[in-house]
Structures are given as C-alpha cells and as structure tokens.
Amino acid sequence: MAIAAVFEFPGEPVEKYRKVFDAGEAIVNQSNRLYHVCYRTDAGFTVIDIWADEQSFAAFGETLGPALHHAGLDPKPAVYPVEQVMTQDGTRSS
C-alpha cells in the first residue's frame, strides 16, 4: 500500500533542504518514490513524499538519515496510508 511521508521543518531555511541533495544521486534516484514535493510555509518548509510502500520508505532511511544530518535537519516524519492518487488527466488509483 502506498504511503505519504510528511516532513515539517518549522523555523528552518529552505537552503537546508537544498543541502540534502549534496548527498548525490542516491537521494534523487529512488524508483519506489512516486512523488516528491517541497513547499515553503510561513514558518519554514514542508516536504511530502509518496512511496509505493512503507518498506521502500524505511529502506530509504539509510540514505536519507545521513543526508539530513549533514544538512543540519532532524525531522520526525508523519507517515499516512494513501487513499487515492489522481493524475493530471484525472486517472485515479487507490
């Protein structure tokens, strides 16, 4: 089952988000990460990842954890089951 991982970074500058990518291609190339969105908030920034399953997200933690630490971030993501995904053309999947 697909999951949504929500990382909130109140009080953090978005430059720290960009620094996570210094870790290289392993951060970017994740075949089981379906979507990745980062947006600024009034208080900092938020990242939402949609993963094919919780096991894929957990395995990514071995790569993501050190990259976040290097960027000076220590999030506690909230993980939720995905009920439905709808694409731009209106195609829905559960």
Side-chain angles (χ1 to χ4, degrees), residues 5 26 30 34 46 59 66 68 70 77-78 80 93:
Q30 293 292 319
L34 307 176
T46 298
L68 289 167
H70 174 74
Y80 305 99
S93 61

Side-chain angles (χ1 to χ4, degrees), residues 7 9 16 20 23 27 63-75 77:
F7 299 81
F9 298 96
K16 286 187 176 184
V20 171
I27 291 292
T63 300
L64 183 60
L68 289 167
H69 180 75
H70 174 74
L73 297 169
D74 185 28

